[in-house]
Amino acid sequence: IESIGRVRLSAGEDQQNASNGIEQKRPPSMLKTVAHHPDLVVPLLDFATVISHNGTISPRESELLALRVAWNCRSEFEWGHHVDYALDAGLSREEIARIPLGASSPGWSAIERALLEAADELHERQLVSNEVWAKLAAQYEEKQLIEILFVVGEYTMLSMVVNSSGVELE
């Protein structure tokens, strides 16, 4: 695979103008790493698209989870990318600064606290407690509850890949 849409996978090119006039940008370094296993690239991007663009929880909630996962996994790469996404999704810089403090930090709504608690429990035990699940279930439909688990799982997996393979933040 040499490109995915407008993203070129060949190394050493910052930007170039293709013959059709579309600007070609360097892919995120994580994608270049995944490209070493071409059979994973398209399925990974399909999965990531569902989570990031076609999800049933709000972008704000998804980014809150992504940033908590990035913090828990100590993933500079994921944190660096998701701060911008979180700002676009409506989180303030002050809220982003509170994410490392977790659910006990003042200022979170009850459901935001429950999301942060779920991310922490999944990180620590790979299981959401009955207490936290009940808080989430009072607010979300079953489809959304499953999505919350997959958001945490996706960003945990990506953190593992970038941390272990040495992918650096661009």
Side-chain angles (χ1 to χ4, degrees), residues 2 17 30 33 41 57 64 73 81 85 93 112 117 122 124-125 140 142 151 155 158 167 170:
E2 294 214 5
N17 289 324
M30 189 276 303
T33 299
V41 175
I57 64 173
L64 182 68
C73 292
H81 280 269
Y85 302 152
R93 290 197 182 279
E112 289 167 336
E117 290 169 345
L122 287 166
E124 294 165 12
R125 298 191 315 267
Y140 296 108
E142 286 182 2
V151 168
Y155 294 116
L158 292 175
V167 175
E170 297 88 358

Side-chain angles (χ1 to χ4, degrees), residues 60-79:
R60 177 185 168 85
E61 293 161 328
S62 184
E63 291 306 321
L64 182 68
L65 289 168
L67 283 172
R68 187 61 185 171
V69 168
W71 180 260
N72 284 339
C73 292
R74 300 302 188 256
S75 177
E76 179 184 0
F77 181 91
E78 289 299 325
W79 182 270

Side-chain angles (χ1 to χ4, degrees), residues 27-84:
S29 48
M30 189 276 303
L31 257 187
K32 286 197 235 178
T33 299
V34 176
H36 289 281
H37 193 316
D39 294 340
L40 290 177
V41 175
V42 172
L44 176 65
L45 289 176
D46 288 345
F47 177 68
T49 297
V50 171
I51 296 297
S52 62
H53 297 298
N54 302 324
T56 60
I57 64 173
S58 75
R60 177 185 168 85
E61 293 161 328
S62 184
E63 291 306 321
L64 182 68
L65 289 168
L67 283 172
R68 187 61 185 171
V69 168
W71 180 260
N72 284 339
C73 292
R74 300 302 188 256
S75 177
E76 179 184 0
F77 181 91
E78 289 299 325
W79 182 270
H81 280 269
H82 283 276
V83 165
D84 289 337

Side-chain angles (χ1 to χ4, degrees), residues 90-118:
L91 284 155
S92 69
R93 290 197 182 279
E94 187 269 337
E95 289 170 317
I96 292 168
R98 283 199 329 257
I99 289 171
L101 303 175
S104 62
S105 177
W108 298 120
S109 70
I111 197 61
E112 289 167 336
R113 278 193 306 277
L115 289 167
L116 292 167
E117 290 169 345

